[in-house]
Amino acid sequence: MNATPSSPLRVAIIGAGQVADKVHAAYYRTRDDLQMVAVCDSSEAQAQQFAGRYGIPLACTDVQAMLATARPDVVSVCSPNRFHYEHVMQALAAGCHVMCEKPPAMTVEEADTMRRAARHAGRVLAYDFHHRFALDALLLREQVQAGVLGEVYVTIARALRRCGVPGWGVFTSKTLSGGGPLIDIGIHMLDAAMYVLGFPAVRRVSAHSFQRIGNRKSSGQFGVWDPTTFSVEDAVFATIEFRNGGILRLDTSFALNIPQQSIMNVEFCGERAGATLFPAHVYQDEDGKLVTLCAREAADDNRHLRSMEHTST
Ligand SMILES: NC(=O)c1ccc[n+]([C@@H]2O[C@H](COP(=O)([O-])OP(=O)(O)OC[C@H]3O[C@@H](n4cnc5c(N)ncnc54)[C@H](O)[C@@H]3O)[C@@H](O)[C@H]2O)c1
């Protein structure tokens, strides 16, 4: 275990794919007080290519060997969902702080064990639920807490795409991802909605899931996939009932026949006012006219950066 953190902090990345590249390494390279010392991927070529791109001295395929050799202070876990549990637990056991990609794990039990292991090790375990770091989410959370909306009794979260099955990675594999749009994109709007609402206690959840398009079509706005191996749901429609009497509707799909290419947003309906998350807009009806109480002109696009910053400080 690294009892004394090094200066600059030593960072290792597990899973050298697109999110490791576009979000994690892209952020770490901007920090003078962080140094990327190792990258690990099950594909040696992928690890080496990534290391070459960022000037990382160690590229390897074995997580345990990487942790022992590079002795990082911080580990970014960017592997497919199936491996989050194993990689987070290994990194925590090696005394590292961990920034893990969403979803935390494949099951609630795994996520809970990870949470307890981090607490026991006295290390930070953070997840890249970046939408809650948008200034829009922060503003709406303040408005909800200040009672501007009154009691919010209906929340509608949507993460919907018209034919937007990911054409890369393992997002269509139940074994490696654990599920489809619910665990991949729905989870983002669910997290943002729950954050704004202040995480009310849940009484009951009911849901319907479908597999009607992902196993029939094979191409869309995010590339080409194999419909014969499409083993996840392609749509979920859920209702979460809270103990406070309110409900949250979550509609999520990789491929739904809707006119919009994509909808990633949340509506909050309170007794006094309503709000839309992206961009943040709080409004009220006055004699049939829509009146804005407060609004951001555009949605905050620096969410990923803020999420990485929050974890690294
Ligand atoms: N926060 C976000 O908005 C966001 C966006 C995209 C992806 N993600 C999450 O990031 C993770 C990776 O997604 P991605 O889009 O980068 O996928 P990707 O397929 O581009 O990258 C995954 C990488 O992990 C490697 N890998 C596979 N098995 C491994 C193992 N056992 N050990 C080490 N490396 C292994 C693969 O070779 C690949 O290079 C997923 O959990 C996904 O949900 C989050």
Side-chain angles (χ1 to χ4, degrees), residues 13-24 40-44 46-47 50 60-63 77-84 86-87 90 100-104 127-131 166 168-171 176-177 183-185 187-188 264 304 307:
I13 294 176
I14 304 174
Q18 65 94 29
V19 82
D21 180 31
K22 293 202 174 95
V23 177
H24 295 246
C40 183
D41 197 285
S42 51
S43 150
E44 192 173 351
Q46 185 85 1
F50 196 93
C60 56
T61 55
D62 185 294
V63 172
V77 173
C78 303
S79 45
N81 305 349
R82 154 80 177 73
F83 305 105
H84 288 186
E86 175 183 330
H87 293 157
Q90 285 176 305
C100 179
E101 265 309 330
K102 45 54 64 174
Y127 297 105
D128 186 23
F129 281 120
H130 59 281
H131 295 278
W168 75 95
V170 295
F171 296 92
L176 292 171
S177 291
I183 206 166
D184 187 40
I185 54 175
I187 197 171
H188 273 308
M264 287 287 275
H304 251 134
S307 166

Side-chain angles (χ1 to χ4, degrees), residues 146-189:
V148 175
L149 279 74
E151 191 182 317
V152 180
Y153 56 98
V154 178
T155 300
I156 304 163
R158 293 193 187 96
L160 298 170
R161 293 177 186 157
R162 173 167 47 81
C163 217
V165 176
W168 75 95
V170 295
F171 296 92
T172 60
S173 160
K174 176 94 174 160
T175 317
L176 292 171
S177 291
L182 179 61
I183 206 166
D184 187 40
I185 54 175
I187 197 171
H188 273 308
M189 290 302 104

